[in-house]
Amino acid sequence: MSTYSFGVIGAGIIGAAVAREITHRFPGAEVTVLDKADAVAAHQTGHNSGVVHAGLYYQPGSLKARLCRRGVDLLHDYAGEKNLPFDKCGKIVVALTPEEEVRLRDIKEKALANGVPDIELLGPEGIRSVEPNAVGRMALHSPHTAIIDYAAVTRALIDDVQRAGGRVILGAEVVSIANREQGCAVTVARGGEQSIHTFDHLIACAGLQSDRVARLAGGAAYPKIVPFFGQYSQLAPEHRNILNGLVYPVPDPAYPFLGVHLTKRVDGEMLVGPNAFLSFGRENYNGWRIGLKDSIDVAASPGFWKFAGQNMHAAVQEFGAVLSRQKFLAGAAAYVPSLEGAVSTPITRGIRAQAMDRHGRLLDDFVIEDIGSATLVRNAPSPGATSSLAIAEHLVETIGDHPRFTKYGSRGEGGRG
């Protein structure tokens, strides 16, 4: 049995998955999850569309591509084990122009290289056979793309951690980290008081605060998190069954986000969104609570201004959709014409923790930094939730390879085999 102690910062789906994986790889280890929120899955995990991505878009061989495909299988099996809804509703990525058709064929080649099963290109008639209310010149059909409730998955993972003897401390904000080769001392502020927790190893999965937590642990200044909000609207009840699955646009290489699409949720609701625009606050979910510290942080970053200058045209287009819900819905009606004039209601926005380098480039792949006795997840955007169990597997296996932990962290003694 292991006598090691591990700290995990973040009770979102990745932090919860990491904590659970530690209990499997290091039986008997002390595991403590710290989160400044008062509930698990309070941030990105609890504010997303619930899509289980199949791995269509990602650069073959990248960490993101590999962990997404592994993550899909692990998530499917875990949902079955816990009796959580997992709906393989399928998805089509629709091209409306000849230029998009070219990009769609490139996506298909990436998807094949990534091992995405059963994908095929469809013409207009094929589109109608899958989604009778959708239109387009060509579409890539991914029949195994699924939907799930990630907050419910996170609660189940946390329950597993606690059943294995782990602790979950909520309302606990990490204010300092003394990171040394033989362990980390983490100072936590909670209820007006401070306490110190010591761990043999610390794993930070802090999402929107990942760069700040990394800096506390001695990590590099970059990548820096720049928050982008995504606003979804929920269609009126008469549109709940307008689609069988998901309808996505072909990504525009001139802008780093997917654009407005239609997403079914496991509760049966149909969502349109998201737009993507700079968020004035890392946790500004209602749009009104401006984060002064966060906004100054972005404004002080030369990399952000380089990014803004390169993406001004796309930003103007996105801002139009932010101001006008009619324009926002018109984007969806281009793919599903019967949505013209549809009624919808905005729901709580999501905020994407997007890592940016000092040159203003948005980082596409997952980024993990190891320093001292800390492992820092610096960038885990979509498909981070899809990949969460695989990210946990990857991180904990890497930690287990360290000489201090080899006895208990390998796939031999103490591992799952």
Side-chain angles (χ1 to χ4, degrees):
M1 297 289 286
S2 170
T3 58
Y4 292 116
S5 62
F6 294 88
V8 178
I9 300 176
I13 193 167
I14 295 178
V18 167
R20 172 181 172 270
E21 186 69 16
I22 290 170
T23 68
H24 286 174
R25 297 293 181 94
F26 298 87
E30 295 179 2
V31 181
T32 302
V33 180
L34 304 167
D35 198 297
K36 69 183 181 67
D38 293 324
V40 304
H43 295 291
Q44 289 184 109
T45 301
H47 296 85
N48 65 46
S49 61
V51 176
V52 181
H53 294 280
L56 302 179
Y57 311 102
Y58 317 126
Q59 187 62 37
S62 66
L63 195 60
K64 181 183 279 192
R66 292 188 286 111
L67 296 185
C68 178
R69 288 302 312 149
R70 173 66 175 157
V72 169
D73 293 338
L74 292 173
L75 193 59
H76 174 266
D77 292 347
Y78 187 73
E81 176 189 333
K82 297 297 180 179
N83 198 30
L84 297 171
F86 187 100
D87 181 1
K88 288 188 181 181
C89 60
K91 163 178 159 180
I92 57 172
V93 183
V94 180
L96 300 179
T97 68
E99 293 78 15
E100 288 182 344
E101 287 185 42
V102 174
R103 299 206 298 268
L104 194 62
R105 293 183 188 277
D106 289 340
I107 291 171
K108 180 189 177 185
E109 293 307 310
K110 282 186 177 180
L112 289 173
N114 290 337
V116 180
D118 301 327
I119 58 170
E120 62 175 333
L121 288 173
L122 308 174
E125 290 299 321
I127 292 172
R128 282 191 287 273
S129 71
V130 174
E131 293 289 358
N133 291 311
V135 299
R137 295 173 61 98
M138 178 187 288
L140 181 64
H141 183 213
S142 172
H144 300 293
T145 294
I147 51 176
I148 199 169
D149 181 345
Y150 283 117
V153 174
T154 304
R155 290 190 292 270
L157 291 166
I158 288 293
D159 185 58
D160 287 345
V161 172
Q162 292 175 315
R163 286 177 183 274
R167 292 191 302 164
V168 179
I169 305 176
L170 301 175
E173 183 175 5
V174 173
V175 295
S176 71
I177 300 171
N179 182 11
R180 305 179 181 91
E181 287 298 327
Q182 296 304 314
C184 287
V186 179
T187 303
V188 169
R190 187 173 187 247
E193 298 182 353
Q194 291 192 351
S195 58
I196 297 176
H197 303 259
T198 58
F199 306 109
D200 291 303
H201 200 84
L202 179 70
I203 305 96
C205 310
L208 288 156
Q209 306 296 336
S210 59
D211 56 340
R212 291 171 177 165
V213 171
R215 291 284 293 186
L216 292 178
Y222 287 90
K224 181 181 287 294
I225 294 298
V226 176
F228 289 87
F229 75 78
Q231 181 70 63
Y232 280 93
S233 279
Q234 182 174 306
L235 291 172
E238 59 265 29
H239 300 298
R240 291 183 81 192
N241 298 316
I242 198 167
L243 296 173
N244 297 316
L246 317 178
V247 173
Y248 276 51
V250 177
D252 183 350
Y255 198 65
F257 304 111
L258 280 175
V260 172
H261 46 271
L262 291 126
T263 305
K264 186 167 73 170
R265 283 196 322 210
V266 290
D267 63 3
E269 298 294 346
M270 184 65 69
L271 307 183
V272 178
N275 49 24
F277 203 76
L278 179 68
S279 176
F280 296 102
R282 298 193 186 195
E283 299 169 12
N284 183 21
Y285 297 112
N286 60 18
W288 298 107
R289 190 177 68 182
I290 305 300
L292 185 60
K293 175 184 176 183
D294 298 338
S295 300
I296 291 173
D297 197 30
V298 171
S301 171
F304 169 74
W305 293 108
K306 292 177 183 177
F307 168 82
Q310 295 162 1
N311 291 277
M312 188 59 67
H313 176 70
V316 169
Q317 288 183 313
E318 286 290 321
F319 191 57
V322 171
L323 295 176
S324 169
R325 203 181 328 154
Q326 286 73 26
K327 185 173 181 180
F328 182 64
L329 288 170
Y335 300 90
V336 183
S338 54
L339 286 177
E340 188 71 42
V343 175
S344 70
T345 304
I347 61 175
T348 303
R349 61 176 55 173
I351 300 179
R352 176 188 178 110
Q354 176 61 59
M356 179 181 290
D357 71 12
R358 65 178 66 251
H359 304 293
R361 296 181 296 236
L362 301 189
L363 303 187
D364 183 60
D365 205 359
F366 298 150
V367 177
I368 300 164
E369 181 179 6
D370 289 297
I371 180 168
S373 295
T375 298
L376 313 168
V377 179
R378 301 293 303 256
N379 190 46
S382 180
T386 300
S387 310
S388 55
L389 296 175
I391 291 172
E393 193 177 65
H394 173 77
L395 289 179
V396 177
E397 184 173 293
T398 301
I399 293 167
D401 288 338
H402 191 283
R404 283 192 298 156
F405 303 118
T406 299
K407 179 179 178 182
Y408 295 102
S410 69
R411 287 184 177 270
E413 181 181 350
R416 286 187 292 177

